[in-house]
Amino acid sequence: MTSISRNLVASTLIGALVLILGQLLVLYFVERGELMAKSDEGLEQQAESLATLFRLNGQEIEFGFDELLIPETARHTGVTYYQAWGEDGEVITRSPSLGMMDLPSRFGQDGRPELWNLRLPDESRGRAVGQEFAVHQVSASAEQDGHPTSERVILVVARETDSIRSTLWRFILTDSLVALCGGVVFAIYLVWVIRSLLRPMTKFGEYVEGLEADKLAEPLPALSLPKELTPIAASFARMQQRLDESFQRERRTASSMAHELRTPVSELLTMSDVALLHADEPELALEYLGEVREVALHMRDLISTMLSVARLQLSPGDLKPCAIQCAKTTLEAWRAYEEKAVRKRIRMTASLDQELVVSADEPVLRSILSNLLANAVEYTSDEGELEISLSREGEQAVLRVKNTCAGLEAGDMARLTEFFWRHDGARSVGDGHVGLGLAVSKELASVSGMELELSLEESTFIATLRIELDSSAIGEKAKR
Amino acid sequence: MHVLVIEDSRRLREALGKGLKKSGFSVDLVGDGPTGLVYATKNPYDVIVLDLMLPGLHGMQILKAVREKGLDVNVLILTARDEVESRVEGLSAGADDYLTKPFTFEELIARLNALVRRKYGSKTPTIRIGELEVDTVAHKAICQGKEIALSAREYSLLEYLAFRKDQVVTRIEIQDHVYDEHTLPVSNAVDSGICTLRAKLAKVTDQPLIHTRRNQGYVLGEDAK
């Protein structure tokens, strides 16, 4: 499992390590450059000092070496090599350290010294400087004797550079140790800082972990969250509210369902008990047996309805949309309730676009239409008004069922689609109504891609069903 | 004993009515809250069987109205709501008993009998008047070891007189507590019932137990004081 603090510590430490290594590398090269420059400077000074020891005496170039005269040589701890050549290329002198070996004869142009790396006779790595300079006659008589006034001499001085490398390594080692200690301290500090910064998140996590379903309605406690976590906390609070509403809805549904099941079970029990009490009156006992059967059938229907909705929710793939003449299907559904509407002297008006062909699963559409119309006829008061309209709005067919219905309030609209919820006034309506019709219709519509909206305008209840038009029908309409 | 059943489920209401009548109760049936309130506050019932989720008016409001009026009636709440809070609320508001659905009819009858006994201050289920024993649980009248064959209405009349033994009981009281709303007050159902009961008692005992108080009513007791 990924851990923000672990990842933060690891990535920061890796970043810091790369930075330190880079810094060490840069320091190494800078230091190395400086040491080499100083070494070269020393080497050049040494070569210049040695050059002063050459003198031309007549035809002979003499070299008078004295360590006291060349303090740079004395200061240098390693072995110094030097060799000098005359104009004719003959070796004038060489350091005893060279033995019989030669140094390369190189020098810079125009009197400038040339510096280069080389392998010394003892196979160690070294640095050499070569320069050409003039040696002048020391006595005036020599010039008179026809000797040249000056001779060119090539001098090469070399010395080992291992001491520079060891100095550099000491430097790198010291720096690395300092960096390592610093890194450890930095890592500890980093862990502490990250843990401190993430503590509100940990607390938030603990709060979420310990949040029980019955505490969802309680507001989020003050956790002094940082700015970055505030939007997450706000989103969580909104989700908490939605969950709470959903749980409340579930609880209400469960409670209503329990109530709706307890009542028919009570009916069954009481009617059976009373039928047994009247065992001496077979006609009455038979009458109750019939009633018991009716209740059992009603319970079966109720369970079947719930199961079919649940089945569709689980596998919406079972739906088989086809082209349906919506007006015709609506009128067919209406026929089942027409008689009751006449009996209640309900004034019904219908305005249906006969040409609209919709795409829907036919049993589902019929079930929704049946529920909406049954609901409208049932809850419209005697001599009330019922209006059914079907029209096209964009790519949808819109069916509206409007009926006068006293007692409903705007706040009831959301609860009308809760399973088993019934408005107080609806309880006085005949047997068989348990508050499922609109809830089932809403679920069926939702599962099958239709939209069902419920609204209230003064005392008129409006159920609006939006159904997708069949694509072939849309094409034909467009052609016309 | 006169019972009012306020229950919105038609089937349950009617079954309760038939069963209670068969068990010797006189019963009035109401299916909604507002009518239930009128019945409960206008008529003297022994027990009201009250559903809570009623159309028009919640059962708790009916209970509160009954208690505010100080009516001497026991109330049994019969509801599908089985939460502890609901029971506590109902009993705290003045209900005498609380029974949740689904229930057995036998238990309802037992509870109603207990409430009736409580109303008339009887601790034991058997009431003795001389040689006569009235078993309010078995709904039987026994005299000298023999059971007296009584109809439900006759037993109910005897039971009411037994609960109020040695007290003068007026015809109106008998009418209110033994007969339901369908028996007209002007009918001579009470006198006729008393007459039949006397005749049946006379068959098993020589001791006159039901005495007439002229212009007052009747007394069930060993002596005509």
Side-chain angles (χ1 to χ4, degrees):
Chain A
M1 193 188 285
T2 54
S3 154
I4 290 181
S5 65
R6 215 175 298 149
N7 285 356
L8 262 176
V9 169
S11 51
T12 311
L13 281 180
I14 289 169
L17 192 67
V18 169
L19 207 69
I20 289 169
L21 284 176
Q23 207 173 358
L24 282 175
L25 212 62
V26 169
L27 276 174
Y28 170 82
F29 283 112
V30 168
E31 193 67 20
R32 184 173 172 273
E34 277 190 17
L35 281 173
M36 289 302 284
K38 276 185 184 167
S39 168
D40 287 351
E41 194 183 340
L43 201 60
E44 282 176 33
Q45 281 178 0
Q46 196 172 10
E48 280 173 18
S49 302
L50 282 173
T52 57
L53 299 179
F54 286 89
R55 58 176 181 267
L56 183 61
N57 193 2
Q59 282 190 318
E60 197 176 345
I61 298 170
E62 293 175 346
F63 176 64
F65 178 75
D66 188 346
E67 278 192 356
L68 290 172
L69 294 173
I70 313 167
E72 290 79 6
T73 310
R75 275 206 300 275
H76 182 68
T77 49
V79 183
T80 301
Y81 304 88
Y82 59 85
Q83 190 170 358
W85 295 266
E87 280 181 356
D88 51 359
E90 196 176 323
V91 175
I92 300 167
T93 183
R94 58 155 62 92
S95 64
S97 54
L98 274 174
M100 292 308 291
M101 296 180 82
D102 288 323
L103 288 171
S105 172
R106 285 170 61 178
F107 55 91
Q109 297 300 313
D110 303 326
R112 284 199 298 274
E114 183 187 345
L115 289 150
W116 72 93
N117 294 323
L118 77 169
R119 281 275 168 197
L120 294 171
D122 61 355
E123 288 304 311
S124 62
R125 279 177 289 192
R127 186 118 173 115
V129 61
Q131 68 177 73
E132 188 189 40
F133 59 92
V135 182
H136 300 280
Q137 281 290 350
V138 291
S139 64
S141 60
E143 286 177 24
Q144 290 165 5
D145 293 342
H147 295 298
T149 53
S150 64
E151 283 275 349
R152 306 297 299 172
V153 174
I154 297 159
L155 175 65
V156 174
V157 181
R159 64 186 184 198
E160 49 82 28
T161 51
D162 284 347
S163 60
I164 296 174
R165 269 186 207 89
S166 62
T167 306
L168 270 174
W169 278 117
R170 273 201 305 280
F171 168 77
I172 291 294
L173 198 66
T174 313
D175 272 11
S176 300
L177 275 172
V178 169
L180 186 71
C181 294
V184 170
V185 172
F186 176 67
I188 293 168
Y189 173 73
L190 191 67
V191 169
W192 178 78
V193 166
I194 287 174
R195 280 194 182 162
S196 306
L197 289 174
L198 291 177
R199 200 163 294 134
M201 192 186 261
T202 312
K203 279 187 183 173
F204 185 58
E206 284 167 359
Y207 165 74
V208 173
E209 183 68 31
L211 191 63
E212 299 289 341
D214 58 338
K215 299 278 189 319
L216 283 171
E218 291 178 10
L220 204 66
L223 296 169
S224 26
L225 293 173
K227 194 173 72 181
E228 289 79 1
L229 280 183
T230 312
I232 297 173
S235 301
F236 180 79
R238 285 195 293 276
M239 187 193 74
Q240 202 177 333
Q241 193 184 351
R242 286 199 299 276
L243 271 177
D244 184 50
E245 283 167 6
S246 174
F247 279 141
Q248 277 185 22
R249 200 180 158 100
E250 289 291 319
R251 277 196 283 267
R252 281 201 299 270
T253 302
S255 168
S256 303
M257 189 191 278
H259 182 267
E260 293 306 333
L261 288 177
R262 277 168 195 276
T263 303
V265 171
S266 299
E267 289 172 357
L268 288 177
L269 264 175
T270 309
M271 285 191 295
S272 329
D273 285 344
V274 172
L276 287 171
L277 264 181
H278 290 82
D280 52 342
E281 298 173 54
E283 279 182 17
L284 194 72
L286 269 177
E287 183 193 322
Y288 274 111
L289 198 60
E291 293 265 11
V292 164
R293 189 168 186 279
E294 263 186 48
V295 176
L297 288 174
H298 167 64
M299 288 180 78
R300 185 200 62 183
D301 293 346
L302 191 144
I303 290 163
S304 303
T305 308
M306 295 298 291
L307 279 177
S308 53
V309 171
R311 213 171 288 138
L312 273 181
Q313 283 171 329
L314 284 173
S315 50
D318 290 351
L319 293 165
K320 292 181 178 61
C322 59
I324 302 169
Q325 291 279 349
C326 198
K328 185 170 165 265
T329 311
T330 307
L331 288 173
E332 280 170 7
W334 169 250
R335 271 184 214 121
Y337 309 100
E338 198 168 13
E339 192 188 324
K340 189 166 188 178
V342 170
R343 214 166 45 239
K344 290 180 81 174
R345 298 183 302 283
I346 293 172
R347 290 188 296 279
M348 193 281 233
T349 51
S351 159
L352 308 175
D353 185 338
Q354 300 291 332
E355 291 185 3
L356 290 183
V357 179
V358 295
S359 171
D361 181 278
E362 192 167 353
V364 168
L365 179 62
R366 282 187 185 278
S367 176
I368 295 172
L369 290 172
S370 187
N371 278 332
L372 294 182
L373 296 172
N375 193 68
V377 171
E378 198 66 61
Y379 296 111
T380 303
S381 50
D382 287 2
E383 297 183 10
E385 287 176 13
L386 199 163
E387 183 189 326
I388 307 169
S389 66
L390 176 67
S391 59
R392 180 177 174 159
E393 286 181 16
E395 302 300 297
Q396 289 179 319
V398 179
L399 178 86
R400 282 196 179 84
V401 181
K402 296 183 181 181
N403 63 289
T404 47
C405 182
L408 274 179
E409 291 166 15
D412 294 333
M413 292 303 105
R415 299 199 65 187
L416 274 174
T417 51
E418 282 183 21
F419 282 93
F420 297 107
W421 186 84
R422 279 190 292 170
H423 181 260
D424 192 38
R427 293 185 180 277
S428 57
V429 174
D431 290 337
H433 289 266
V434 293
L436 271 181
L438 290 175
V440 166
S441 300
K442 177 85 176 172
E443 282 302 315
L444 288 178
S446 163
V447 170
S448 56
M450 293 180 244
E451 288 172 46
L452 178 63
E453 293 160 16
L454 307 177
S455 56
L456 193 68
E457 280 178 11
E458 294 179 353
S459 62
T460 302
F461 174 70
I462 307 166
T464 307
L465 181 68
R466 295 175 189 280
I467 319 160
E468 287 299 314
L469 285 171
D470 186 60
S471 54
S472 58
I474 296 171
E476 277 179 31
K477 187 105 181 168
K479 277 179 207 168
R480 283 181 220 168
Chain B
M1 296 297 107
H2 203 175
V3 176
L4 170 65
V5 176
I6 311 175
E7 166 63 54
D8 65 336
S9 159
R10 178 190 60 80
R11 286 195 186 92
L12 187 57
R13 188 171 67 239
E14 288 176 1
L16 281 175
K18 287 211 167 61
L20 289 174
K21 275 179 189 163
K22 184 78 176 174
S23 304
F25 292 91
S26 59
V27 189
D28 289 345
L29 302 173
V30 174
D32 65 89
T35 316
L37 179 65
V38 173
Y39 270 65
T41 51
K42 299 291 178 199
N43 304 317
Y45 293 101
D46 292 303
V47 184
I48 296 172
V49 177
L50 180 65
D51 187 11
L52 290 181
M53 305 284 278
L54 290 166
L57 190 68
H58 197 274
M60 288 302 292
Q61 287 172 280
I62 298 175
L63 175 61
K64 282 173 187 164
V66 165
R67 291 299 171 234
E68 276 168 16
K69 277 185 172 277
L71 299 173
D72 180 24
V73 58
N74 286 333
V75 176
L76 182 148
I77 291 177
L78 183 65
T79 177
R81 294 181 61 183
D82 66 342
E83 309 88 27
V84 174
E85 297 80 13
S86 182
R87 289 166 195 244
V88 170
E89 189 192 1
L91 293 170
S92 305
D96 299 280
D97 203 353
Y98 195 104
L99 184 59
T100 54
K101 296 173 186 173
F103 58 94
T104 60
F105 190 69
E106 203 180 0
E107 186 183 357
L108 176 69
I109 294 292
R111 285 175 186 259
L112 287 179
N113 282 330
L115 288 176
V116 170
R117 282 201 300 277
R118 191 192 298 177
K119 181 176 178 185
Y120 292 105
S122 173
K123 297 283 181 194
T124 56
T126 306
I127 305 165
R128 286 180 181 280
I129 308 107
E131 295 173 329
L132 179 69
E133 275 181 29
V134 179
D135 186 339
T136 59
V137 172
H139 283 204
K140 285 177 184 172
I142 297 163
C143 192
Q144 294 180 344
K146 289 177 188 169
E147 185 181 339
I148 307 167
L150 297 173
S151 69
R153 177 61 54 77
E154 287 159 2
Y155 170 78
S156 184
L157 177 57
L158 179 63
E159 188 190 60
Y160 182 61
L161 291 172
F163 274 128
R164 300 191 59 187
K165 73 173 184 176
D166 300 328
Q167 292 175 24
V168 177
V169 182
T170 65
R171 283 183 179 78
I172 298 293
E173 283 174 324
I174 293 172
Q175 178 83 40
D176 286 343
H177 290 272
V178 179
Y179 295 88
D180 58 28
E181 58 179 334
H182 303 298
T183 309
L184 291 173
V186 291
S187 72
N188 63 348
V190 175
D191 293 336
S192 162
I194 291 286
C195 185
T196 311
L197 200 56
R198 267 184 182 145
K200 289 197 174 179
L201 288 174
K203 284 183 187 171
V204 289
T205 177
D206 298 333
Q207 190 182 16
L209 294 171
I210 302 175
H211 313 283
T212 305
R213 288 278 183 275
R214 194 170 294 279
N215 295 328
Q216 291 180 57
Y218 303 97
V219 178
L220 178 68
E222 286 183 75
D223 304 312
K225 289 171 189 171

